[in-house]
Amino acid sequence: MKRKRFSAVVCGLLIAGFLLGACAPAVATPGREAVVGNPTYEDPLTPADGSNISERRPSISWTVQPNGQEIASFRMHLDGQAVKPVRTVRGSAVVFAYKPERELLPGIHTASVTITFDGYQPLTLTSRFTIVSNPVKPFAGKDSTQLQLMEAEAVSHLNSIRKTLAISDLSTNPSLTAAAQSHSNFLQINHLVGHYQNERYPGFTGITPQDRAAFFGYSGVATEGIDYGISSPRMSIEGLIDAPYHRLGLINPNDREVGAGFSLQSYNMVINAGNSDDRNDDRAMRYPYAGQTDAKSSWFVAESPNPLASYHKDRMYVGYPVSLSFHDTKTRELRLLAASFKDSAGNDISHYVVDSSRESESKKYIFLIPQLPLKSGETYQIKIEAQRILTDGSIKPIYEAWSFTTRATVAIDYLGLVNLEGVENLQLKLRNGDIEDVSYLLIRDGEIVRKYNAEQGFSWTNAGPLSPGRYRLQLASPSLSPDLIEYTVEIQESSGKRRSVTVVDQANLGPIPAVRAGLMRLAGRDHIELFWQSGKPAGVSYVLKRGGEVWRSYSADRYYSQRGPSLPDGDYLLEISKSGAPELSQYILSLYTDNGERRVLLTPVK
């Protein structure tokens, strides 16, 4: 009888900041189509061949899928000596694992396994790995308490999202935490971004996330996600969930463990998820999830790799991405047949489709990305008809239909402080998503100390630090609400050098005005600063009068001029002119003091 051979392809796939581990198992006989029932394997022998590890008693393990075939024999050797592995059945997989009784010496070691199935040729796998003599210590010199608190915040928020999807919580794993922290350190030390390390650079612990997880003793399949630029673990998780490729690595129902590391200097968060068991959970994962009532409306495309690369679209505002994905090892491809995206009135929502026909690597997901931001408080229906192509060649029909509703009201999700060009600014994130027309004024004692809109970005007149205390934050977004919302916020000193920003109160100020006013202090003198909701007009000038006298004036060529250093409380006439506009716009500008704080009120003259 001719004996058959079986083998497998092991691959890593970098998508969206997440490096995904093993791919679907390949079938056994080279040059032939898959045959149902052939034994397969999807993971390499661990520790992986060529890897460096710090663990002196590493777990030598290998996982195989017998697929109904009988294992005739199995042998494992470590440094040429036969050892007795523990055999464990995990679902449809069989795991062989051995942990040395004593610590191994630093240097090169060789592990091998040989397995024989009835009717098949024997298969032998070999791994040569190195135990390093001076392992990297990722927590040396770090504030371990602070890092543990940040990891707990990230994991807690991720698990709260996973609960809404009815998938299991992730528990922290020390090896994954060490791997994540070591890579966060590596990126910070070397001023780099990305998932891969170079062994010539300081802090090296492994080229890939899987290598780094193994370096610290993790024997399962590990994935990695990285977020940059916001000093909030919770918001880093939100950012990864918003980006459709990154999302896939966080909502995998097969994962069971997690670890996160952080750089507190140049902020980054590295998160590793993993699973030491089989990956056979084949539930369809939908996001936003069915029945969600607070889905985000929009997203700014800034993901690498770019999900809209095939459309040549990038760095733009779109609607919030919808995803349907499978994460098991038996699924080879999710092939789209038809999709619809409709609002509550049955109107079609124009959208970009990202599916297996546009992807060259992983093909187990479908993204529907609206071309324009979604409306707030609107319900949307999604229908997807597809085929799930399995690794054995069989096809399962897929029909998914669900609905979700976008958040109806404006809500702040995060307030923090960020340093831009050496100037401290307020960083703001909305629960509504990345909103293009959002703007804000940060006011203290009547003075506009910071402002932001999408056209001009962050701006300021006084570059001094934002000292602790209370401020008024005026927030406007015509696409979300016709009203101007004012929040009372407080900047507080917190543990270490970190400072927090919290919302104390909020009030609705009525319809968003076309122009707002506040104080600005230049060279110790009070001036009036104007803020236009739709952008500053060209050639604007103004005159501020009281009792027939000009107290302040501004024009592009003369800039600011003044009478006296301060503007006393009272009512003023503000006349604004624009180039090409024959008529003046007149306002009553009222300066007054309320509870020890100066305020500015602008009322149009009818």
Side-chain angles (χ1 to χ4, degrees), residues 234-235 238 242 294-298 320 406-407 409-414 428-435 480:
R234 179 181 177 278
M235 294 312 299
E238 281 289 315
D242 293 343
D294 61 350
K296 296 178 181 179
S297 299
S298 62
Y320 196 70
T406 53
R407 174 174 285 277
T409 57
V410 180
I412 291 178
D413 201 9
Y414 169 78
L428 179 150
K429 295 287 186 181
L430 296 179
R431 293 185 180 180
N432 309 78
D434 302 324
I435 308 301
L480 295 178

Side-chain angles (χ1 to χ4, degrees), residues 376-439:
S376 59
E378 176 63 87
T379 299
Y380 294 91
Q381 290 87 30
I382 306 296
K383 293 182 180 180
I384 294 177
E385 184 181 357
Q387 292 177 329
R388 180 175 164 229
I389 314 299
L390 304 185
T391 54
D392 62 14
S394 62
I395 298 176
K396 292 190 175 182
I398 298 295
Y399 182 78
E400 297 286 337
W402 77 99
S403 65
F404 63 88
T405 303
T406 53
R407 174 174 285 277
T409 57
V410 180
I412 291 178
D413 201 9
Y414 169 78
L415 287 173
L417 299 174
V418 61
N419 194 290
L420 298 172
E421 301 176 3
V423 178
E424 199 170 44
N425 278 274
L426 185 70
Q427 192 171 33
L428 179 150
K429 295 287 186 181
L430 296 179
R431 293 185 180 180
N432 309 78
D434 302 324
I435 308 301
E436 183 174 11
D437 66 357
V438 71
S439 64

Side-chain angles (χ1 to χ4, degrees), residues 142-143 146-147 150 184 188 262-268 498:
K142 303 291 182 182
D143 186 342
Q146 183 65 40
L147 292 173
M150 295 176 74
S184 175
Q188 188 264 320
F262 305 86
S263 167
L264 303 181
Q265 289 78 33
S266 55
Y267 186 82
N268 67 55
R498 298 184 72 199

Side-chain angles (χ1 to χ4, degrees), residues 146-158 161 227 230-241 250 260-264 267-271 414 498:
Q146 183 65 40
L147 292 173
Q148 288 171 6
L149 290 173
M150 295 176 74
E151 180 184 50
E153 180 183 333
V155 174
S156 174
H157 188 57
L158 175 55
I161 294 172
D227 184 65
I230 186 167
S231 57
S232 164
R234 179 181 177 278
M235 294 312 299
S236 287
I237 294 296
E238 281 289 315
L240 292 173
I241 286 289
L250 296 180
F262 305 86
S263 167
L264 303 181
Y267 186 82
N268 67 55
M269 181 191 79
V270 178
I271 186 164
Y414 169 78
R498 298 184 72 199

Side-chain angles (χ1 to χ4, degrees), residues 114-283:
T114 301
I115 190 169
T116 304
F117 284 90
D118 287 339
Y120 287 79
Q121 296 178 8
L123 171 71
T124 298
L125 297 177
T126 301
S127 171
R128 285 170 56 86
F129 59 92
T130 302
I131 296 179
V132 298
S133 57
N134 296 304
V136 171
K137 298 179 180 179
F139 301 102
K142 303 291 182 182
D143 186 342
S144 297
T145 300
Q146 183 65 40
L147 292 173
Q148 288 171 6
L149 290 173
M150 295 176 74
E151 180 184 50
E153 180 183 333
V155 174
S156 174
H157 188 57
L158 175 55
N159 281 336
S160 71
I161 294 172
R162 290 174 66 91
K163 276 186 174 67
T164 65
L165 301 172
I167 56 179
S168 64
D169 283 358
L170 303 179
S171 58
T172 53
N173 178 283
S175 295
L176 292 178
T177 299
Q181 187 61 51
S182 73
H183 190 52
S184 175
N185 297 345
F186 180 88
L187 298 177
Q188 188 264 320
I189 292 169
N190 297 292
H191 306 288
L192 296 172
V193 297
H195 295 278
Y196 296 98
Q197 293 187 7
N198 188 314
E199 61 185 349
R200 294 175 297 176
Y201 291 3
F204 175 81
T205 53
I207 295 174
T208 70
Q210 190 68 55
D211 293 338
R212 295 189 288 273
F215 182 90
F216 291 100
Y218 191 71
S219 59
V221 176
T223 66
E224 180 179 88
I226 308 174
D227 184 65
Y228 307 91
I230 186 167
S231 57
S232 164
R234 179 181 177 278
M235 294 312 299
S236 287
I237 294 296
E238 281 289 315
L240 292 173
I241 286 289
D242 293 343
Y245 281 135
H246 288 71
R247 178 188 300 165
L248 300 178
L250 296 180
I251 64 172
N252 187 334
N254 293 282
D255 284 335
R256 296 291 181 270
E257 299 162 312
V258 69
F262 305 86
S263 167
L264 303 181
Q265 289 78 33
S266 55
Y267 186 82
N268 67 55
M269 181 191 79
V270 178
I271 186 164
N272 291 336
N275 178 13
S276 299
D277 297 330
D278 59 38
R279 305 172 78 85
N280 289 331
D281 192 325
D282 60 358
R283 281 178 285 180

Side-chain angles (χ1 to χ4, degrees), residues 9 23-28 32-38 40-42 65 67 279-280 328-334 364 388-396:
V9 176
C23 63
V27 84
R32 295 179 55 190
E33 292 297 322
V35 178
V36 177
N38 276 353
T40 59
Y41 69 95
E42 59 190 80
Q65 299 275 350
N67 293 327
R279 305 172 78 85
N280 289 331
D328 62 297
T329 55
K330 292 183 179 180
T331 300
R332 187 177 68 201
E333 178 184 354
L334 183 61
K364 298 195 287 188
R388 180 175 164 229
I389 314 299
L390 304 185
T391 54
D392 62 14
S394 62
I395 298 176
K396 292 190 175 182

